[in-house]
């Protein structure tokens, strides 16, 4: 049964200061379009001192590119692995290098040979995403989510350079991407670290790994401390499992009408679906527009 969106009167008059908003399935419709009038809404939020923070598994640079002409953007990238405001890092949480090295080995093993799985590893750094599967078809699948991609002959060399101080980058997330269902590749690789790290299937074709305790929820807390706002002044919006951690970080927690049942159960309110511009509808109500 489709849930009924919450009456806006339930949250009218809130002292909104921060809105953390998932992208796919939440802000964007199923065709990856923004809600109509988004620029005008963001102008209103800026004028009222309300921080809008897209929160995504995407690279921070990709998120910034998705909002052109908006200097000073605040973004939560890599599922909370890094937070930036106006191009300056607010927080980041690098993955330990022994895990990165072992993940490289496991992915190489799983994808090699005639029976290898069609996929590869994306080492998600603060500055660049590094791939050693460099064919155009694979990179084209990664590029919509990672605008700064470096094709490298050996991902371990990247780690060597970071450890030796020859690079000022740091790996804040590991991701496997495959054109087909991600479960076989994920289970053969990143799932090996599920007992010690934060592991999640983040989409039909993606699985992620980061430091335990680092997620969108921890990033919202980092941002709240930085901005000097609290839960009562925070709205969060999500639809899928990697948004669950955010739901407890804002008193104004909204599951989209199209959200998974666990997200709905973890949220105080239900917003209209992503295909009904639900985030924009709720934000306008919160702002009294």
């Amino acid at each position: 049964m489709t849930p009924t969106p919450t009456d806006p009167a339930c949250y009218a008059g809130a002292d909104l200061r921060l809105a953390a908003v998932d992208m796919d399935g939440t802000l964007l419709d199923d065709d990856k379009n923004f809600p109509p009038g988004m620029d005008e809404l963001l102008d209103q939020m800026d004028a009222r001192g309300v921080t809008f923070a897209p929160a995504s598994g995407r690279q921070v640079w990709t998120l910034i590119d998705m909002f052109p002409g908006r200097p000073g953007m605040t973004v939560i990238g890599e599922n909370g692995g890094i937070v930036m405001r106006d191009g300056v890092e607010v927080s980041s949480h690098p993955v330990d290098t022994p895990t990165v090295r072992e993940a490289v080995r496991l992915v190489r093993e799983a994808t090699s040979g005639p029976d290898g799985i069609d996929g590869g590893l994306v080492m998600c750094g603060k500055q660049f995403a590094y791939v050693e599967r460099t064919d155009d078809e694979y990179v084209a699948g990664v590029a919509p989510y990672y605008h700064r991609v470096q094709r490298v002959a050996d991902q371990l060399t990247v780690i060597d350079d970071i450890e030796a101080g020859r690079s000022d980058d740091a790996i804040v997330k590991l991701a496997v991407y495959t054109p087909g269902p991600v479960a076989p590749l994920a289970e053969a690789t990143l799932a090996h670290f599920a007992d010690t790290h934060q592991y999640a299937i983040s989409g039909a074709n993606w699985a992620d790994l980061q430091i335990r305790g680092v997620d969108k929820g921890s990033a919202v807390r980092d941002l709240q401390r930085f901005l000097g706002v609290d839960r009562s002044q925070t709205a969060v919006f999500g639809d899928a499992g990697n948004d669950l951690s955010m739901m407890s970080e804002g008193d104004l927690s909204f599951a989209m009408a199209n959200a998974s049942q666990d997200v709905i159960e973890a949220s105080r309110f239900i917003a209209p679906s992503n295909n009904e511009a639900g985030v924009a509808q709720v934000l306008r109500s919160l702002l009294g527009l």
Side-chain angles (χ1 to χ4, degrees):
M1 180 177 177
T2 302
T4 302
T6 306
D7 185 339
C10 294
Y11 45 81
D15 178 27
L16 181 65
R17 289 291 174 265
L18 169 64
V21 182
D22 173 56
M23 296 293 286
D24 298 283
T26 299
L27 181 65
L28 305 179
D29 68 19
D30 289 348
D31 294 322
K32 308 299 184 186
N33 296 315
F34 282 90
M38 192 66 197
D39 278 339
E40 292 81 1
L41 175 58
L42 293 178
D43 287 342
Q44 289 278 356
M45 295 178 74
D46 287 344
R48 298 179 186 213
V50 180
T51 297
F52 175 86
S56 174
R58 287 177 167 89
Q59 188 181 46
V60 288
W61 309 109
T62 306
L63 291 171
I64 290 168
D65 286 348
M66 293 177 76
F67 294 86
R70 304 206 71 87
M73 277 293 297
T74 301
V75 292
I76 296 171
E78 310 293 8
N79 281 333
I82 183 167
V83 181
M84 293 183 69
R85 182 175 174 88
D86 196 15
V88 177
E89 181 181 311
V90 172
S91 65
S92 67
H93 305 274
V95 181
D96 54 291
T97 53
T99 295
V100 177
R101 291 181 183 278
E102 179 63 4
V104 171
R105 186 191 71 78
L106 287 170
V107 173
R108 287 174 177 174
E109 183 179 86
T111 58
S112 64
D115 297 323
I117 301 169
D118 182 12
L121 177 69
V122 183
M123 292 195 328
C124 312
K126 295 181 184 182
Q127 301 298 328
F128 295 97
Y130 302 93
V131 295
E132 66 177 27
R133 177 170 167 180
T134 58
D135 58 283
D136 289 344
E137 181 180 4
Y138 184 79
V139 174
V142 172
Y145 304 93
Y146 292 88
H147 286 188
R148 292 189 180 184
V149 176
Q150 280 198 2
R151 307 184 195 203
V152 298
D154 186 346
Q155 288 173 322
L156 295 178
T157 299
V158 175
I159 300 305
D160 291 341
D161 289 343
I162 290 172
E163 288 188 312
R166 293 186 294 269
S167 168
D168 63 355
D169 211 344
I171 306 304
V172 295
K173 190 184 75 179
L174 298 171
V176 289
Y177 167 72
T178 171
V182 75
L185 181 57
E187 290 166 6
T189 59
L190 300 186
H192 285 229
F193 307 100
D195 290 340
T196 56
H197 291 67
Q198 195 91 5
Y199 165 74
I201 300 292
S202 54
N205 313 106
W206 291 88
D208 298 334
L209 191 80
Q210 16 197 169
I211 293 294
R212 175 64 58 83
V214 174
D215 50 31
K216 291 184 182 182
S218 68
V220 170
R221 293 194 300 273
D222 290 341
L223 193 51
Q224 286 169 333
R225 285 191 292 269
F226 180 80
L227 296 171
V229 304
D230 61 32
R231 287 165 43 99
S232 68
Q233 300 169 308
T234 302
V236 294
F237 297 82
D239 75 301
N242 64 343
D243 302 319
L244 264 175
S245 60
M246 291 198 297
M247 296 299 111
S248 61
E249 303 306 329
D251 287 353
L252 299 161
S253 57
F254 293 87
M256 311 308 292
N258 54 286
S260 58
Q261 189 60 36
D262 53 353
V263 176
I264 290 172
E265 292 174 357
S267 304
R268 288 187 65 194
F269 306 109
I270 298 174
S273 78
N274 64 318
N275 289 324
E276 300 171 276
V279 171
Q281 287 192 51
V282 170
L283 287 176
R284 289 190 180 99
S285 294
L286 286 167
L287 295 170
L289 300 177

